[in-house]
Amino acid sequence: MIPVRDDLRVLEGYHSPQVDVDVRLNTNESPLPPPDAFRDALAAELSRVEWHRYPDRAATRLREAIADWHGVDPSMVFAANGSNEVLQTILLAYAGAGRRVATFEPTYQMHAQIARVVGSEVVEGERNADFTLDPAEMRRVVADHDPHVTFLTSPNNPTGLVEPAERVTELLDLANGLVVADEAYAQFADWTALELLDEQRPLVVTRTFSKTWSMAGVRLGYAIGPTWFVDDLEKVVLPYHLDAMKQLAGCVALRFVDDMNDRVRLIVSERERLAAAMATLPIDVTPSGANFILFRPTTIAGREVWQHLLDRSILVRDCSGWPRLNDCLRVTVGTPGENDAFLTGLKEILE
Ligand code: PMP
């Protein structure tokens, strides 16, 4: 065996255990597949791919389609293999050895994980007990550490809380480095940092096709930011990192915006139904602007509730052992039938 890099020895990697169950509500995917018409249109497009040629390195058509949808210039769009690869590319460009990356915990674990993998120091700010972010804590982290990259996740994972606009603008006023608004779940929320984008501001917004677009299997994500930012990422990313199939899948998906909006509306109304029903049970529910809900049973240990749900073939995410998330579980909003099964199970366990 060859010893891995010294600074990687303590890292464990990021795992989301999968178990074979009837009701799978643990990874924040869309419960519905993309429309049949999407599959047919994509199959037709794929039959025309020139398989012996490298793909369009600049992903021109895909970036144009994304830009068009968001009403920005294609030179402000960078696409990659899932928003995780977007985040990695950002950190390769702006973090790395000798640089600092700030997160406000608890939040999406991959921010700190990738930051460490690329050799940066991670500075962890603390959220309040209700998972909101105190501006004083933001000021402390920026003043003490002057981070090169600071993450705000909105809606946050695993809490579901939407970061208020003034929190993002305050951070932009304070920070010297890049501010990354990770908006993997923003389509389920009522506010987006996209409206704050400006060529002069070091703000970028990251998005994914994995959730709203029912395309977690495709691995496609993107960032929108100033043109200088996109130019910087191009220096770091591997040549032809985005294959021809993925570029086509993204372009075809964007022809189905109305279907996707219907799916978002369904998930949001199911989320509200779930949250209202859960509020009648002995659990603390964190208000969510995402496609999942974080909750903490108050009469039975979280881990026990997770196991009882699993005994009923319902899988939710067990966050109860994660730092700052004692007894917490996270349920992804599923189809109405899956949500009913979850609610019935939860009631039986808690009542
Ligand atoms: N950001 C957040 C906040 C997430 O929760 C996730 C998915 N778990 C991602 C990014 C990564 O998404 P993708 O599938 O696009 O890599």
Side-chain angles (χ1 to χ4, degrees), residues 14 27-28 81-85 87 108 111 153 155-157 182 184-185 206-211 216 219-221 330:
Y14 180 83
T27 43
N28 297 348
N81 296 283
S83 55
N84 280 336
E85 196 190 42
L87 300 170
Y108 183 45
H111 298 153
T153 312
N156 194 11
N157 180 10
D182 182 336
Y185 304 96
T206 62
R207 291 280 184 104
T208 177
F209 279 76
S210 297
K211 321 288 176 185
R219 311 301 301 125
L220 182 59
R330 189 194 69 193

Side-chain angles (χ1 to χ4, degrees), residues 152-157 161-164 168 181-186 189 191:
L152 277 185
T153 312
S154 181
N156 194 11
N157 180 10
L161 283 180
V162 179
E163 215 61 80
V168 183
D182 182 336
E183 291 199 347
Y185 304 96
W191 180 79

Side-chain angles (χ1 to χ4, degrees), residues 247-278:
Q247 294 189 31
L248 277 174
C251 289
V252 172
L254 287 161
R255 294 185 210 154
F256 293 87
V257 171
D258 289 346
D259 298 76
M260 295 308 152
N261 287 339
D262 288 346
R263 281 168 164 65
V264 171
R265 271 191 290 274
L266 172 71
I267 302 282
V268 169
S269 83
E270 279 296 296
R271 178 189 74 207
E272 295 309 308
R273 181 171 78 89
L274 269 181
M278 290 163 78

Side-chain angles (χ1 to χ4, degrees), residues 28 156-160 185 288 290-294 330-333:
N28 297 348
N156 194 11
N157 180 10
T159 66
Y185 304 96
S288 171
N291 66 341
F292 56 84
I293 297 175
L294 187 80
R330 189 194 69 193
V331 60
T332 302
V333 179

Side-chain angles (χ1 to χ4, degrees), residues 91-108:
L91 290 169
L92 283 168
Y94 295 101
R99 291 192 163 211
R100 290 169 301 285
V101 174
T103 62
F104 294 96
E105 302 293 331
T107 190
Y108 183 45

Side-chain angles (χ1 to χ4, degrees), residues 17-84:
Q18 279 306 353
V19 187
D20 200 15
V21 287
D22 294 339
V23 180
R24 203 166 100 183
L25 302 174
N26 67 329
T27 43
N28 297 348
E29 295 149 325
S30 165
L32 299 170
D36 288 344
F38 162 84
R39 295 174 195 226
D40 296 343
L42 182 57
E45 292 281 348
L46 286 176
S47 68
R48 290 191 280 275
V49 168
E50 293 190 352
W51 297 106
H52 60 303
R53 301 290 182 201
Y54 281 114
D56 173 15
R57 185 169 173 164
T60 314
R61 280 185 52 210
L62 174 63
R63 288 168 62 207
E64 280 171 1
I66 294 170
D68 199 37
W69 183 44
H70 287 297
V72 299
D73 194 83
S75 59
M76 297 173 67
V77 178
F78 172 83
N81 296 283
S83 55
N84 280 336

